[in-house]
Amino acid sequence: MSGLRIGVLVSGSGSNLQSIIDAVEAGNLRSKIVCILSNKEDAYGLVRARKHGIPAYFIDPKEEDYDGRVLNCLQDYEVDLVVLAGYLKIVALNMIEAYKGRIINIHPSLLPKFGGKGYYGIKVHEAVLAAHEIESGATVHFVDTGIDTGETIIQGKVPVYENDTPSDLGKRVLDEVEHKILVQAIKKLEEERA
Ligand code: GRF
């Protein structure tokens, strides 16, 4: 089996996207990224995509039927696994239904801790520090109709140090956990669906 046809949704820097691109190019994944979509025109993830010759599109959320357009695009590219990699937008019901069990997200905390409405980006790490946690990490999970509530695929941990700032912690979680477990989760799905 030749692997999965992956569509990646991004909103920002796309370093998680880069970890998937690198794993595919290094032959560590059998899957292929067939398209990259962003709800932000200036997302650096789009630049990364184009550097690697992957079709990449900005879809304007202000335009009519944004969610329908996203879904159409994924279907046009015959995507069979959708990866939300720093995609800071709630996914519409039509997409969750169309891709049930085939849409995954990465969240920068040890879910169910620090997940749900309002917990995104740096806010997650601020909350972890405010709660005096001694460890944090990230979770790759299936997307269901709740926010950060879907079944966990894989988690990874890092220590929290006393003098950490939210951005120190965020960088540690991103570099030491997110970039690894996202690729591991895709590999796991490749193996299960082979
Ligand atoms: C990551 O921490 C991701 O978990 C969160 O936003 C950050 C985005 O990083 N949702 P990047 O765009 O992949 O570099």
Side-chain angles (χ1 to χ4, degrees):
M1 137 109 191
S2 54
L4 303 164
R5 293 177 62 82
I6 301 176
V8 184
L9 270 57
V10 298
S11 299
S13 137
S15 67
N16 279 301
L17 161 68
Q18 189 70 52
S19 70
I20 309 172
I21 294 174
D22 293 346
V24 171
E25 289 186 353
N28 295 331
L29 288 175
R30 280 175 296 147
S31 299
K32 182 178 175 199
I33 303 178
V34 293
C35 67
I36 290 160
L37 308 181
S38 174
N39 64 322
K40 299 273 183 200
E41 195 165 15
D42 60 353
Y44 189 65
L46 291 173
V47 177
R48 294 183 194 268
R50 290 177 187 134
K51 277 189 185 169
H52 291 266
I54 304 167
Y57 306 95
F58 159 60
I59 301 185
D60 190 342
K62 290 198 281 297
E63 279 184 26
E64 204 181 316
D65 196 22
Y66 169 79
D67 295 300
R69 281 165 194 244
V70 171
L71 184 56
N72 283 342
C73 193
L74 294 170
Q75 290 174 336
D76 284 349
Y77 278 93
E78 297 178 352
V79 165
D80 45 37
L81 176 68
V82 180
V83 177
L84 310 183
Y87 183 61
L88 300 178
K89 197 167 181 346
I90 303 288
V91 176
L93 214 55
N94 64 344
M95 197 150 96
I96 295 172
E97 276 160 10
Y99 280 100
K100 200 162 188 287
R102 299 183 302 152
I103 171 165
I104 66 173
N105 179 47
I106 182 146
H107 182 81
S109 78
L110 294 170
L111 290 174
K113 284 185 165 185
F114 308 103
K117 202 169 186 308
Y119 285 116
Y120 57 88
I122 199 80
K123 288 178 193 292
V124 174
H125 308 298
E126 285 168 359
V128 168
L129 294 177
H132 303 289
E133 296 286 317
I134 56 165
E135 61 181 14
S136 189
T139 305
V140 180
H141 64 92
F142 287 108
V143 175
D144 66 9
T145 52
I147 304 178
D148 303 325
T149 52
E151 185 194 334
T152 292
I153 302 167
I154 186 166
Q155 285 188 316
K157 292 179 180 176
V158 287
V160 176
Y161 299 121
E162 240 173 67
N163 299 327
D164 273 345
T165 64
S167 71
D168 293 336
L169 179 58
K171 188 174 180 324
R172 189 175 313 123
V173 169
L174 194 59
D175 294 347
E176 295 180 22
V177 182
E178 293 191 52
H179 296 162
K180 293 186 182 128
I181 66 170
L182 187 53
V183 172
Q184 288 166 3
I186 295 170
K187 204 177 186 94
K188 189 163 181 257
L189 298 178
E190 276 181 350
E191 281 160 11
E192 282 173 14
R193 284 157 207 211

PDB file of all heavy atoms in Angstrom, residues 69-101:
ATOM      1  N   ARG A  69     -15.907  25.168   0.731  1.00  0.00           N
ATOM      2  CA  ARG A  69     -14.747  25.295  -0.169  1.00  0.00           C
ATOM      3  C   ARG A  69     -13.588  24.435   0.317  1.00  0.00           C
ATOM      4  O   ARG A  69     -12.894  23.795  -0.480  1.00  0.00           O
ATOM      5  CB  ARG A  69     -14.253  26.740  -0.209  1.00  0.00           C
ATOM      6  CG  ARG A  69     -15.079  27.620  -1.084  1.00  0.00           C
ATOM      7  CD  ARG A  69     -14.733  29.063  -0.763  1.00  0.00           C
ATOM      8  NE  ARG A  69     -15.731  29.916  -1.351  1.00  0.00           N
ATOM      9  CZ  ARG A  69     -15.475  30.793  -2.307  1.00  0.00           C
ATOM     10  NH1 ARG A  69     -14.256  30.962  -2.754  1.00  0.00           N
ATOM     11  NH2 ARG A  69     -16.430  31.527  -2.798  1.00  0.00           N
ATOM     12  N   VAL A  70     -13.363  24.475   1.636  1.00  0.00           N
ATOM     13  CA  VAL A  70     -12.268  23.665   2.203  1.00  0.00           C
ATOM     14  C   VAL A  70     -12.531  22.188   1.904  1.00  0.00           C
ATOM     15  O   VAL A  70     -11.655  21.475   1.398  1.00  0.00           O
ATOM     16  CB  VAL A  70     -12.134  23.897   3.732  1.00  0.00           C
ATOM     17  CG1 VAL A  70     -11.151  22.902   4.353  1.00  0.00           C
ATOM     18  CG2 VAL A  70     -11.698  25.333   4.016  1.00  0.00           C
ATOM     19  N   LEU A  71     -13.740  21.756   2.184  1.00  0.00           N
ATOM     20  CA  LEU A  71     -14.091  20.354   1.968  1.00  0.00           C
ATOM     21  C   LEU A  71     -13.950  19.975   0.488  1.00  0.00           C
ATOM     22  O   LEU A  71     -13.367  18.930   0.166  1.00  0.00           O
ATOM     23  CB  LEU A  71     -15.518  20.094   2.478  1.00  0.00           C
ATOM     24  CG  LEU A  71     -15.996  18.648   2.419  1.00  0.00           C
ATOM     25  CD1 LEU A  71     -15.054  17.713   3.176  1.00  0.00           C
ATOM     26  CD2 LEU A  71     -17.409  18.539   3.004  1.00  0.00           C
ATOM     27  N   ASN A  72     -14.444  20.841  -0.398  1.00  0.00           N
ATOM     28  CA  ASN A  72     -14.334  20.559  -1.843  1.00  0.00           C
ATOM     29  C   ASN A  72     -12.887  20.390  -2.263  1.00  0.00           C
ATOM     30  O   ASN A  72     -12.549  19.494  -3.025  1.00  0.00           O
ATOM     31  CB  ASN A  72     -14.920  21.711  -2.671  1.00  0.00           C
ATOM     32  CG  ASN A  72     -16.429  21.644  -2.673  1.00  0.00           C
ATOM     33  OD1 ASN A  72     -17.004  20.610  -2.365  1.00  0.00           O
ATOM     34  ND2 ASN A  72     -17.064  22.754  -2.995  1.00  0.00           N
ATOM     35  N   CYS A  73     -12.052  21.276  -1.744  1.00  0.00           N
ATOM     36  CA  CYS A  73     -10.642  21.230  -2.122  1.00  0.00           C
ATOM     37  C   CYS A  73     -10.025  19.908  -1.656  1.00  0.00           C
ATOM     38  O   CYS A  73      -9.330  19.228  -2.421  1.00  0.00           O
ATOM     39  CB  CYS A  73      -9.938  22.436  -1.509  1.00  0.00           C
ATOM     40  SG  CYS A  73      -8.327  22.674  -2.204  1.00  0.00           S
ATOM     41  N   LEU A  74     -10.308  19.508  -0.415  1.00  0.00           N
ATOM     42  CA  LEU A  74      -9.763  18.246   0.106  1.00  0.00           C
ATOM     43  C   LEU A  74     -10.253  17.076  -0.737  1.00  0.00           C
ATOM     44  O   LEU A  74      -9.505  16.145  -1.045  1.00  0.00           O
ATOM     45  CB  LEU A  74     -10.170  18.056   1.572  1.00  0.00           C
ATOM     46  CG  LEU A  74      -9.586  19.071   2.562  1.00  0.00           C
ATOM     47  CD1 LEU A  74     -10.255  18.924   3.925  1.00  0.00           C
ATOM     48  CD2 LEU A  74      -8.077  18.905   2.694  1.00  0.00           C
ATOM     49  N   GLN A  75     -11.520  17.139  -1.124  1.00  0.00           N
ATOM     50  CA  GLN A  75     -12.078  16.047  -1.919  1.00  0.00           C
ATOM     51  C   GLN A  75     -11.506  16.041  -3.343  1.00  0.00           C
ATOM     52  O   GLN A  75     -11.239  14.982  -3.904  1.00  0.00           O
ATOM     53  CB  GLN A  75     -13.605  16.092  -1.882  1.00  0.00           C
ATOM     54  CG  GLN A  75     -14.082  15.699  -0.476  1.00  0.00           C
ATOM     55  CD  GLN A  75     -15.570  15.826  -0.248  1.00  0.00           C
ATOM     56  OE1 GLN A  75     -16.246  16.596  -0.920  1.00  0.00           O
ATOM     57  NE2 GLN A  75     -16.099  15.096   0.716  1.00  0.00           N
ATOM     58  N   ASP A  76     -11.287  17.233  -3.903  1.00  0.00           N
ATOM     59  CA  ASP A  76     -10.682  17.305  -5.243  1.00  0.00           C
ATOM     60  C   ASP A  76      -9.304  16.630  -5.259  1.00  0.00           C
ATOM     61  O   ASP A  76      -8.910  16.024  -6.242  1.00  0.00           O
ATOM     62  CB  ASP A  76     -10.493  18.772  -5.681  1.00  0.00           C
ATOM     63  CG  ASP A  76     -11.804  19.413  -6.103  1.00  0.00           C
ATOM     64  OD1 ASP A  76     -12.799  18.685  -6.256  1.00  0.00           O
ATOM     65  OD2 ASP A  76     -11.834  20.652  -6.255  1.00  0.00           O
ATOM     66  N   TYR A  77      -8.584  16.786  -4.162  1.00  0.00           N
ATOM     67  CA  TYR A  77      -7.248  16.177  -4.072  1.00  0.00           C
ATOM     68  C   TYR A  77      -7.296  14.741  -3.532  1.00  0.00           C
ATOM     69  O   TYR A  77      -6.260  14.167  -3.227  1.00  0.00           O
ATOM     70  CB  TYR A  77      -6.321  17.046  -3.204  1.00  0.00           C
ATOM     71  CG  TYR A  77      -5.732  18.196  -3.982  1.00  0.00           C
ATOM     72  CD1 TYR A  77      -6.346  19.434  -3.999  1.00  0.00           C
ATOM     73  CD2 TYR A  77      -4.577  18.026  -4.731  1.00  0.00           C
ATOM     74  CE1 TYR A  77      -5.822  20.493  -4.740  1.00  0.00           C
ATOM     75  CE2 TYR A  77      -4.040  19.071  -5.467  1.00  0.00           C
ATOM     76  CZ  TYR A  77      -4.673  20.294  -5.464  1.00  0.00           C
ATOM     77  OH  TYR A  77      -4.135  21.333  -6.198  1.00  0.00           O
ATOM     78  N   GLU A  78      -8.502  14.215  -3.389  1.00  0.00           N
ATOM     79  CA  GLU A  78      -8.705  12.834  -2.900  1.00  0.00           C
ATOM     80  C   GLU A  78      -7.936  12.566  -1.613  1.00  0.00           C
ATOM     81  O   GLU A  78      -7.250  11.544  -1.449  1.00  0.00           O
ATOM     82  CB  GLU A  78      -8.318  11.827  -3.989  1.00  0.00           C
ATOM     83  CG  GLU A  78      -9.203  11.981  -5.209  1.00  0.00           C
ATOM     84  CD  GLU A  78      -8.837  11.034  -6.335  1.00  0.00           C
ATOM     85  OE1 GLU A  78      -7.803  10.348  -6.259  1.00  0.00           O
ATOM     86  OE2 GLU A  78      -9.606  10.996  -7.302  1.00  0.00           O
ATOM     87  N   VAL A  79      -8.035  13.542  -0.704  1.00  0.00           N
ATOM     88  CA  VAL A  79      -7.378  13.435   0.600  1.00  0.00           C
ATOM     89  C   VAL A  79      -8.050  12.343   1.415  1.00  0.00           C
ATOM     90  O   VAL A  79      -9.281  12.277   1.455  1.00  0.00           O
ATOM     91  CB  VAL A  79      -7.479  14.797   1.331  1.00  0.00           C
ATOM     92  CG1 VAL A  79      -7.161  14.673   2.814  1.00  0.00           C
ATOM     93  CG2 VAL A  79      -6.556  15.810   0.660  1.00  0.00           C
ATOM     94  N   ASP A  80      -7.242  11.468   2.051  1.00  0.00           N
ATOM     95  CA  ASP A  80      -7.879  10.508   2.945  1.00  0.00           C
ATOM     96  C   ASP A  80      -7.436  10.655   4.400  1.00  0.00           C
ATOM     97  O   ASP A  80      -7.939   9.937   5.262  1.00  0.00           O
ATOM     98  CB  ASP A  80      -7.815   9.058   2.439  1.00  0.00           C
ATOM     99  CG  ASP A  80      -6.473   8.661   1.917  1.00  0.00           C
ATOM    100  OD1 ASP A  80      -5.469   9.103   2.486  1.00  0.00           O
ATOM    101  OD2 ASP A  80      -6.431   7.920   0.938  1.00  0.00           O
ATOM    102  N   LEU A  81      -6.544  11.585   4.686  1.00  0.00           N
ATOM    103  CA  LEU A  81      -6.259  11.939   6.084  1.00  0.00           C
ATOM    104  C   LEU A  81      -6.068  13.454   6.158  1.00  0.00           C
ATOM    105  O   LEU A  81      -5.225  14.013   5.444  1.00  0.00           O
ATOM    106  CB  LEU A  81      -4.984  11.236   6.588  1.00  0.00           C
ATOM    107  CG  LEU A  81      -4.564  11.628   8.012  1.00  0.00           C
ATOM    108  CD1 LEU A  81      -5.565  11.116   9.053  1.00  0.00           C
ATOM    109  CD2 LEU A  81      -3.174  11.110   8.350  1.00  0.00           C
ATOM    110  N   VAL A  82      -6.863  14.096   7.016  1.00  0.00           N
ATOM    111  CA  VAL A  82      -6.734  15.546   7.201  1.00  0.00           C
ATOM    112  C   VAL A  82      -5.952  15.789   8.494  1.00  0.00           C
ATOM    113  O   VAL A  82      -6.303  15.251   9.558  1.00  0.00           O
ATOM    114  CB  VAL A  82      -8.123  16.229   7.324  1.00  0.00           C
ATOM    115  CG1 VAL A  82      -7.968  17.736   7.514  1.00  0.00           C
ATOM    116  CG2 VAL A  82      -8.978  15.932   6.106  1.00  0.00           C
ATOM    117  N   VAL A  83      -4.893  16.589   8.396  1.00  0.00           N
ATOM    118  CA  VAL A  83      -4.082  16.897   9.580  1.00  0.00           C
ATOM    119  C   VAL A  83      -4.217  18.385   9.879  1.00  0.00           C
ATOM    120  O   VAL A  83      -3.892  19.232   9.039  1.00  0.00           O
ATOM    121  CB  VAL A  83      -2.597  16.540   9.340  1.00  0.00           C
ATOM    122  CG1 VAL A  83      -1.755  16.929  10.557  1.00  0.00           C
ATOM    123  CG2 VAL A  83      -2.435  15.053   9.042  1.00  0.00           C
ATOM    124  N   LEU A  84      -4.709  18.686  11.080  1.00  0.00           N
ATOM    125  CA  LEU A  84      -4.771  20.080  11.521  1.00  0.00           C
ATOM    126  C   LEU A  84      -3.458  20.362  12.239  1.00  0.00           C
ATOM    127  O   LEU A  84      -3.190  19.785  13.304  1.00  0.00           O
ATOM    128  CB  LEU A  84      -5.952  20.297  12.474  1.00  0.00           C
ATOM    129  CG  LEU A  84      -7.330  19.786  12.016  1.00  0.00           C
ATOM    130  CD1 LEU A  84      -8.398  20.145  13.047  1.00  0.00           C
ATOM    131  CD2 LEU A  84      -7.701  20.364  10.654  1.00  0.00           C
ATOM    132  N   ALA A  85      -2.630  21.197  11.629  1.00  0.00           N
ATOM    133  CA  ALA A  85      -1.292  21.439  12.179  1.00  0.00           C
ATOM    134  C   ALA A  85      -1.168  22.928  12.493  1.00  0.00           C
ATOM    135  O   ALA A  85      -0.753  23.714  11.652  1.00  0.00           O
ATOM    136  CB  ALA A  85      -0.233  20.996  11.168  1.00  0.00           C
ATOM    137  N   GLY A  86      -1.600  23.286  13.713  1.00  0.00           N
ATOM    138  CA  GLY A  86      -1.610  24.704  14.059  1.00  0.00           C
ATOM    139  C   GLY A  86      -2.711  25.425  13.299  1.00  0.00           C
ATOM    140  O   GLY A  86      -2.534  26.561  12.857  1.00  0.00           O
ATOM    141  N   TYR A  87      -3.843  24.755  13.133  1.00  0.00           N
ATOM    142  CA  TYR A  87      -4.996  25.346  12.442  1.00  0.00           C
ATOM    143  C   TYR A  87      -5.904  25.954  13.503  1.00  0.00           C
ATOM    144  O   TYR A  87      -6.528  25.227  14.281  1.00  0.00           O
ATOM    145  CB  TYR A  87      -5.725  24.265  11.658  1.00  0.00           C
ATOM    146  CG  TYR A  87      -6.902  24.752  10.846  1.00  0.00           C
ATOM    147  CD1 TYR A  87      -6.734  25.679   9.829  1.00  0.00           C
ATOM    148  CD2 TYR A  87      -8.183  24.253  11.081  1.00  0.00           C
ATOM    149  CE1 TYR A  87      -7.813  26.104   9.063  1.00  0.00           C
ATOM    150  CE2 TYR A  87      -9.264  24.664  10.319  1.00  0.00           C
ATOM    151  CZ  TYR A  87      -9.069  25.600   9.314  1.00  0.00           C
ATOM    152  OH  TYR A  87     -10.138  26.015   8.555  1.00  0.00           O
ATOM    153  N   LEU A  88      -5.929  27.288  13.546  1.00  0.00           N
ATOM    154  CA  LEU A  88      -6.612  27.968  14.650  1.00  0.00           C
ATOM    155  C   LEU A  88      -8.033  28.363  14.269  1.00  0.00           C
ATOM    156  O   LEU A  88      -8.420  29.524  14.319  1.00  0.00           O
ATOM    157  CB  LEU A  88      -5.803  29.195  15.097  1.00  0.00           C
ATOM    158  CG  LEU A  88      -4.391  28.880  15.595  1.00  0.00           C
ATOM    159  CD1 LEU A  88      -3.659  30.152  15.974  1.00  0.00           C
ATOM    160  CD2 LEU A  88      -4.416  27.919  16.778  1.00  0.00           C
ATOM    161  N   LYS A  89      -8.794  27.370  13.866  1.00  0.00           N
ATOM    162  CA  LYS A  89     -10.177  27.635  13.487  1.00  0.00           C
ATOM    163  C   LYS A  89     -10.978  26.385  13.829  1.00  0.00           C
ATOM    164  O   LYS A  89     -10.461  25.265  13.689  1.00  0.00           O
ATOM    165  CB  LYS A  89     -10.223  27.922  11.975  1.00  0.00           C
ATOM    166  CG  LYS A  89     -11.484  28.595  11.547  1.00  0.00           C
ATOM    167  CD  LYS A  89     -11.375  29.140  10.137  1.00  0.00           C
ATOM    168  CE  LYS A  89     -12.623  29.844   9.659  1.00  0.00           C
ATOM    169  NZ  LYS A  89     -13.851  29.695  10.384  1.00  0.00           N
ATOM    170  N   ILE A  90     -12.196  26.604  14.289  1.00  0.00           N
ATOM    171  CA  ILE A  90     -13.042  25.453  14.611  1.00  0.00           C
ATOM    172  C   ILE A  90     -13.443  24.777  13.291  1.00  0.00           C
ATOM    173  O   ILE A  90     -13.822  25.450  12.335  1.00  0.00           O
ATOM    174  CB  ILE A  90     -14.321  25.897  15.366  1.00  0.00           C
ATOM    175  CG1 ILE A  90     -13.954  26.665  16.647  1.00  0.00           C
ATOM    176  CG2 ILE A  90     -15.229  24.709  15.666  1.00  0.00           C
ATOM    177  CD1 ILE A  90     -13.397  25.853  17.774  1.00  0.00           C
ATOM    178  N   VAL A  91     -13.342  23.463  13.290  1.00  0.00           N
ATOM    179  CA  VAL A  91     -13.662  22.725  12.064  1.00  0.00           C
ATOM    180  C   VAL A  91     -15.176  22.514  11.982  1.00  0.00           C
ATOM    181  O   VAL A  91     -15.823  22.116  12.949  1.00  0.00           O
ATOM    182  CB  VAL A  91     -12.931  21.365  12.069  1.00  0.00           C
ATOM    183  CG1 VAL A  91     -13.316  20.542  10.857  1.00  0.00           C
ATOM    184  CG2 VAL A  91     -11.427  21.593  12.100  1.00  0.00           C
ATOM    185  N   ALA A  92     -15.721  22.790  10.785  1.00  0.00           N
ATOM    186  CA  ALA A  92     -17.172  22.692  10.605  1.00  0.00           C
ATOM    187  C   ALA A  92     -17.639  21.235  10.651  1.00  0.00           C
ATOM    188  O   ALA A  92     -16.881  20.312  10.336  1.00  0.00           O
ATOM    189  CB  ALA A  92     -17.555  23.303   9.267  1.00  0.00           C
ATOM    190  N   LEU A  93     -18.898  21.111  11.033  1.00  0.00           N
ATOM    191  CA  LEU A  93     -19.513  19.792  11.183  1.00  0.00           C
ATOM    192  C   LEU A  93     -19.468  18.971   9.897  1.00  0.00           C
ATOM    193  O   LEU A  93     -19.218  17.760   9.928  1.00  0.00           O
ATOM    194  CB  LEU A  93     -20.977  20.016  11.597  1.00  0.00           C
ATOM    195  CG  LEU A  93     -21.577  18.990  12.531  1.00  0.00           C
ATOM    196  CD1 LEU A  93     -20.741  18.845  13.785  1.00  0.00           C
ATOM    197  CD2 LEU A  93     -23.000  19.411  12.880  1.00  0.00           C
ATOM    198  N   ASN A  94     -19.671  19.646   8.768  1.00  0.00           N
ATOM    199  CA  ASN A  94     -19.686  18.891   7.495  1.00  0.00           C
ATOM    200  C   ASN A  94     -18.352  18.192   7.253  1.00  0.00           C
ATOM    201  O   ASN A  94     -18.301  17.079   6.746  1.00  0.00           O
ATOM    202  CB  ASN A  94     -20.067  19.792   6.299  1.00  0.00           C
ATOM    203  CG  ASN A  94     -19.066  20.902   6.031  1.00  0.00           C
ATOM    204  OD1 ASN A  94     -18.236  21.215   6.870  1.00  0.00           O
ATOM    205  ND2 ASN A  94     -19.137  21.504   4.859  1.00  0.00           N
ATOM    206  N   MET A  95     -17.264  18.837   7.682  1.00  0.00           N
ATOM    207  CA  MET A  95     -15.950  18.227   7.471  1.00  0.00           C
ATOM    208  C   MET A  95     -15.724  17.085   8.459  1.00  0.00           C
ATOM    209  O   MET A  95     -15.165  16.044   8.111  1.00  0.00           O
ATOM    210  CB  MET A  95     -14.862  19.258   7.611  1.00  0.00           C
ATOM    211  CG  MET A  95     -13.603  18.751   6.994  1.00  0.00           C
ATOM    212  SD  MET A  95     -12.655  20.077   6.382  1.00  0.00           S
ATOM    213  CE  MET A  95     -11.591  20.293   7.774  1.00  0.00           C
ATOM    214  N   ILE A  96     -16.167  17.297   9.690  1.00  0.00           N
ATOM    215  CA  ILE A  96     -15.988  16.243  10.703  1.00  0.00           C
ATOM    216  C   ILE A  96     -16.755  14.993  10.279  1.00  0.00           C
ATOM    217  O   ILE A  96     -16.259  13.869  10.402  1.00  0.00           O
ATOM    218  CB  ILE A  96     -16.444  16.749  12.090  1.00  0.00           C
ATOM    219  CG1 ILE A  96     -15.527  17.901  12.534  1.00  0.00           C
ATOM    220  CG2 ILE A  96     -16.422  15.616  13.119  1.00  0.00           C
ATOM    221  CD1 ILE A  96     -15.948  18.608  13.768  1.00  0.00           C
ATOM    222  N   GLU A  97     -17.941  15.210   9.726  1.00  0.00           N
ATOM    223  CA  GLU A  97     -18.744  14.064   9.275  1.00  0.00           C
ATOM    224  C   GLU A  97     -18.111  13.392   8.059  1.00  0.00           C
ATOM    225  O   GLU A  97     -17.979  12.176   8.006  1.00  0.00           O
ATOM    226  CB  GLU A  97     -20.179  14.498   8.967  1.00  0.00           C
ATOM    227  CG  GLU A  97     -21.000  14.529  10.244  1.00  0.00           C
ATOM    228  CD  GLU A  97     -22.243  15.377  10.141  1.00  0.00           C
ATOM    229  OE1 GLU A  97     -22.597  15.804   9.028  1.00  0.00           O
ATOM    230  OE2 GLU A  97     -22.855  15.629  11.205  1.00  0.00           O
ATOM    231  N   ALA A  98     -17.680  14.222   7.093  1.00  0.00           N
ATOM    232  CA  ALA A  98     -17.092  13.659   5.867  1.00  0.00           C
ATOM    233  C   ALA A  98     -15.799  12.898   6.159  1.00  0.00           C
ATOM    234  O   ALA A  98     -15.472  11.938   5.465  1.00  0.00           O
ATOM    235  CB  ALA A  98     -16.830  14.770   4.858  1.00  0.00           C
ATOM    236  N   TYR A  99     -15.061  13.346   7.181  1.00  0.00           N
ATOM    237  CA  TYR A  99     -13.754  12.740   7.477  1.00  0.00           C
ATOM    238  C   TYR A  99     -13.723  12.063   8.853  1.00  0.00           C
ATOM    239  O   TYR A  99     -12.684  12.026   9.493  1.00  0.00           O
ATOM    240  CB  TYR A  99     -12.649  13.796   7.354  1.00  0.00           C
ATOM    241  CG  TYR A  99     -12.251  14.028   5.915  1.00  0.00           C
ATOM    242  CD1 TYR A  99     -12.731  15.115   5.205  1.00  0.00           C
ATOM    243  CD2 TYR A  99     -11.428  13.124   5.254  1.00  0.00           C
ATOM    244  CE1 TYR A  99     -12.393  15.312   3.870  1.00  0.00           C
ATOM    245  CE2 TYR A  99     -11.079  13.304   3.928  1.00  0.00           C
ATOM    246  CZ  TYR A  99     -11.553  14.400   3.244  1.00  0.00           C
ATOM    247  OH  TYR A  99     -11.212  14.580   1.928  1.00  0.00           O
ATOM    248  N   LYS A 100     -14.835  11.518   9.262  1.00  0.00           N
ATOM    249  CA  LYS A 100     -14.922  10.872  10.575  1.00  0.00           C
ATOM    250  C   LYS A 100     -13.811   9.811  10.731  1.00  0.00           C
ATOM    251  O   LYS A 100     -13.639   8.952   9.867  1.00  0.00           O
ATOM    252  CB  LYS A 100     -16.288  10.201  10.706  1.00  0.00           C
ATOM    253  CG  LYS A 100     -16.682   9.925  12.122  1.00  0.00           C
ATOM    254  CD  LYS A 100     -18.181   9.668  12.235  1.00  0.00           C
ATOM    255  CE  LYS A 100     -18.612   9.571  13.668  1.00  0.00           C
ATOM    256  NZ  LYS A 100     -18.195   8.347  14.316  1.00  0.00           N
ATOM    257  N   GLY A 101     -13.034   9.942  11.821  1.00  0.00           N
ATOM    258  CA  GLY A 101     -11.951   8.976  12.045  1.00  0.00           C
ATOM    259  C   GLY A 101     -10.754   9.184  11.129  1.00  0.00           C
ATOM    260  O   GLY A 101      -9.791   8.412  11.152  1.00  0.00           O
TER     261      GLY A 101
END
